[in-house]
């Protein structure tokens, strides 16, 4: 592809959630009718097109592509997380990097709410008795009046809190900068006695935080001993935020009522892993992020950033993580 043919937006070939990447390119075209948008559908097309491209979007960006990218100015990552990218090298090259933060708010918020209601009304018990054709009542609980602690108050955490609001629950938010406040009744930090106190009062613990040095292993044996034994853990963050061995021990010893895990450590969860065997554990295969609206929401961000890029040499981009 020559410089004359260089598109305004280059879309790399890897898709996500089983949705054809063509839909992403089409969604960007709809939002940028005055721009050229090209989809590199093969490895060879990627290598050729990346040479002169200045504005590129995709799920991944490996070292080989970066080596070939002679004029790259912006890489719009199509994932919310950017830990898989060669960020140091991109920064050395002066490439602006953005992410997809915010696209998962509604769908993961609904996933969390569904998991909480499943345990509240004990639908898993009802499903088990239905399979057995067993008409026998069982005890359930109410969500109203419960305390829900949400770890991480980014787009996903805020979406969870919005969906909990009509249910009459008390909410505690956990974030790095509690002085900023948030959409919860209380906001605390990760350090000190406040977090332990929150665990002791929690009925539903929702993990919606990034994986960092602070959050890695945050829910360890001590946390699982401290938490209310009637509490339910819901993890839509990353598997290593929870100490898996400690969680298995907690479930075996009835330290907690149950867990809903969309992410695990290790992941994928091996077939022989004991977490598969607990009736009070719900496992989904990192599926909370799936939504048919993913590419549309992402295209909104990318199109806006392309227009900002048009406006100046050093634009302020939405969701910018580098530089």
């Amino acid at each position: 592809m020559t410089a004359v043919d260089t598109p305004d937006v280059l879309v790399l070939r890897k898709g996500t959630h089983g949705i054809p990447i063509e839909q992403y390119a089409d969604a960007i075209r709809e939002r940028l009718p005055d721009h050229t948008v090209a989809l590199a559908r093969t490895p060879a097309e990627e290598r050729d097109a990346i040479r002169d491209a200045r504005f590129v979007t995709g799920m991944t960006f490996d070292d080989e592509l970066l080596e070939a990218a002679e004029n790259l100015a912006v890489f719009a990552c199509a994932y919310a997380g950017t830990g898989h990218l060669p960020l140091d090298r991109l920064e050395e090259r002066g490439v602006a990097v953005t992410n997809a933060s915010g696209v998962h708010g509604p769908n993961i918020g609904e996933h969390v709410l569904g998991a909480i209601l499943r345990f509240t009304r004990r639908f898993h018990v009802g499903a088990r008795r239905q399979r057995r054709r067993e008409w026998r009542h069982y005890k359930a609980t109410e969500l109203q009046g419960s305390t829900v602690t949400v770890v991480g108050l980014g787009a996903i955490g805020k979406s969870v809190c919005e969906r909990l609001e009509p249910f009459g629950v008390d909410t505690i938010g956990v974030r790095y900068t509690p002085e900023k406040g948030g959409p919860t009744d209380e906001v605390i930090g990760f350090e000190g006695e406040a977090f332990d106190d929150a665990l002791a009062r929690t009925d539903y613990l929702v993990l919606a935080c990034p994986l960092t040095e602070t959050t890695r292993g945050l829910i360890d044996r001590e946390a699982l001993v401290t938490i209310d034994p009637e509490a339910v853990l819901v993890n839509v963050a990353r598997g290593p935020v929870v100490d898996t061995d400690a969680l298995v021990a907690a479930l075996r010893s009835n330290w907690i009522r149950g867990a809903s895990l969309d992410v695990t450590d290790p992941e994928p969860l091996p077939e022989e892993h004991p977490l598969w065997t607990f009736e009070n554990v719900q496992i989904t295969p990192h599926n909370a992020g799936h939504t048919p609206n993913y590419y549309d929401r992402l295209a909104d961000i990318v199109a806006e950033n392309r227009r900002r890029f048009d406006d100046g040499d050093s634009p302020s981009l939405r969701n910018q993580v580098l530089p």
Side-chain angles (χ1 to χ4, degrees):
M1 183 175 287
T2 65
V4 175
D5 298 321
T6 302
D8 296 316
V9 179
L10 174 64
V11 181
L12 303 181
R13 62 194 166 94
K14 185 181 185 301
T16 191
H17 296 313
I19 309 172
I21 193 65
E22 285 81 2
Q23 292 185 22
Y24 180 36
D26 288 343
I28 298 173
R29 290 188 186 104
E30 289 175 6
R31 289 155 177 78
L32 294 172
D34 298 328
H35 292 69
T36 56
V37 179
L39 170 61
R41 203 60 191 83
T42 68
E45 288 179 5
E46 284 185 341
R47 288 191 297 271
D48 289 341
I50 202 74
R51 185 170 296 107
D52 297 306
R54 291 186 45 77
F55 194 106
V56 177
T57 183
M59 310 291 162
T60 60
F61 200 94
D62 59 29
D63 287 331
E64 183 180 354
L65 272 184
L66 183 56
E67 201 66 42
E70 299 175 2
N71 296 293
L72 184 63
V74 176
F75 178 65
C77 181
Y79 289 135
T82 56
H84 62 291
L85 299 177
L87 292 177
D88 290 343
R89 295 195 62 203
L90 286 163
E91 186 173 21
E92 288 172 6
R93 295 276 297 274
V95 177
V97 177
T98 64
N99 67 11
S101 178
V103 299
H104 285 310
N107 45 296
I108 297 187
E110 291 171 5
H111 182 100
V112 169
L113 185 59
I116 289 174
L117 290 173
R118 176 184 185 269
F119 277 94
T120 300
R121 300 308 302 168
R122 301 187 72 203
F123 290 138
H124 55 298
V125 177
R128 187 164 66 245
R129 295 188 182 183
Q130 180 180 348
R131 288 194 301 270
R132 297 171 179 171
R133 303 183 186 186
E134 181 182 358
W135 186 277
R136 184 161 62 90
H137 289 272
Y138 55 90
K139 293 181 179 180
T141 59
E142 288 188 1
L143 182 54
Q144 180 173 283
S146 299
T147 297
V148 182
T149 296
V150 180
V151 180
L153 294 180
I156 292 170
K158 289 176 182 176
S159 179
V160 170
C161 294
E162 288 171 3
R163 282 153 181 78
L164 286 170
E165 193 169 342
F167 288 88
V169 300
D170 296 319
T171 53
I172 304 170
V174 184
R175 67 187 309 175
Y176 288 106
T177 51
E179 61 274 10
K180 289 184 178 179
T184 50
D185 298 314
E186 300 175 45
V187 182
I188 63 173
F190 288 93
E191 307 299 332
E193 297 179 3
F195 185 68
D196 290 336
D197 177 67
L199 289 178
R201 294 184 284 136
T202 293
D203 298 297
Y204 296 93
L205 176 63
V206 178
L207 304 178
C209 52
L211 179 62
T212 67
E213 289 305 309
T214 298
T215 62
R216 183 180 294 275
L218 177 70
I219 307 305
D220 56 10
R221 185 183 186 281
E222 289 303 310
L224 289 165
V225 170
T226 302
I227 199 168
D228 189 288
E230 287 299 308
V232 172
L233 170 69
V234 180
N235 190 4
V236 291
R238 288 293 183 267
V241 175
V242 177
D243 181 326
T244 301
D245 291 341
L247 177 60
V248 170
L251 291 162
R252 283 175 171 159
S253 302
N254 294 316
W255 296 347
I256 60 173
R257 180 153 56 99
S260 175
L261 308 175
D262 188 56
V263 289
T264 59
D265 181 28
E267 188 174 308
L269 194 64
E271 291 184 17
E272 69 279 5
H273 200 281
L275 280 174
W276 289 112
T277 66
F278 292 101
E279 292 186 343
N280 59 339
V281 174
Q282 178 188 35
I283 296 174
T284 50
H286 210 140
N287 209 63
H290 184 270
T291 169
N293 300 315
Y294 189 91
Y295 287 150
D296 284 325
R297 293 186 190 130
L298 180 58
D300 287 339
I301 298 170
V302 172
E304 179 183 335
N305 280 338
R306 177 63 229 201
R307 287 189 287 265
R308 292 187 186 187
F309 181 71
D310 292 338
D311 290 339
D313 294 330
S314 301
S316 175
L317 302 177
R318 181 177 168 190
N319 287 1
Q320 188 165 342
V321 296
L322 277 182

